[in-house]
Amino acid sequence: MTSSPNPMDPMDPEDPTALPDPWHALHELLAAMDAEIEQVYVERGIEGVRPRFAYPLIRLAHTGPLTIRELAESLNRSHSAISQTVAAMRKEDLVSSEPGPDARTRRIDLTERGRALVPFLEAEWRATHASVAELDGEVPYAMTAVVEEVRRALERRSMRQRVLGHLVEPPR
């Protein structure tokens, strides 16, 4: 007698999510690194600032006001990601927005608070880059080199092509 899979059983052999997630360690590492950088902010009395805010805030300090689309393009990020980041930064009084050249756009600019934080954020940015270089020297496979090698491998054969090569679709 066979029993049907229990949807509440985390070890259900039919459930592909019961296998270890190959991305988990990377996501966990990046989140831990961001949390440590955020702790540097908190230790300096900077509340409500996330590491993901540094890049757009520094860019806005050097370019002046930009639309969300212009900011996203200048940072090589998606419009959606920057839109969410801008909304979070607006809540923390780091940026302001006003109507752009047409009804669909908004121009994003630094507030006084955002502008005041930029010198520290630039220093932290440089320190973070130096820390990554230091880490690269301590591990047998430099993170930056591994990322570049993965990027090159994906140029040779995209993730989409790889997934399709392994995809076995259920019968319809």
Side-chain angles (χ1 to χ4, degrees), residues 155-166:
E155 283 178 354
R156 290 189 298 274
R157 187 165 171 236
S158 74
M159 189 67 169
R160 179 185 155 275
Q161 291 169 322
R162 291 166 191 270
V163 169
L164 288 172
H166 291 279

Side-chain angles (χ1 to χ4, degrees), residues 67-172:
T67 65
I68 291 176
R69 183 164 311 288
E70 290 167 339
L71 183 58
E73 288 172 3
S74 78
L75 301 175
N76 198 24
R77 300 288 193 267
S78 72
H79 182 278
S80 174
I82 293 300
S83 182
Q84 291 173 12
T85 298
V86 164
M89 292 189 306
R90 193 177 307 124
K91 285 181 185 174
E92 297 298 336
D93 191 35
L94 299 168
V95 296
S96 61
S97 66
E98 48 189 61
D102 63 53
R104 298 170 305 175
T105 61
R106 311 241 352 125
R107 293 191 69 74
I108 309 305
D109 198 5
L110 296 174
T111 61
E112 283 185 39
R113 179 175 187 239
R115 192 169 311 286
L117 289 174
V118 168
F120 173 79
L121 294 175
E122 287 178 333
E124 176 270 309
W125 185 272
R126 290 181 186 100
T128 297
H129 281 243
S131 298
V132 169
E134 180 181 73
L135 281 168
D136 274 355
E138 289 181 29
V139 296
Y141 306 104
M143 292 185 300
T144 53
V146 170
V147 168
E148 183 60 22
E149 289 301 317
V150 170
R151 188 191 63 72
R152 285 186 192 139
L154 290 171
E155 283 178 354
R156 290 189 298 274
R157 187 165 171 236
S158 74
M159 189 67 169
R160 179 185 155 275
Q161 291 169 322
R162 291 166 191 270
V163 169
L164 288 172
H166 291 279
L167 184 62
V168 178
E169 294 190 59
R172 296 182 188 210

Side-chain angles (χ1 to χ4, degrees), residues 1-5:
M1 178 162 117
T2 61
S3 63
S4 61

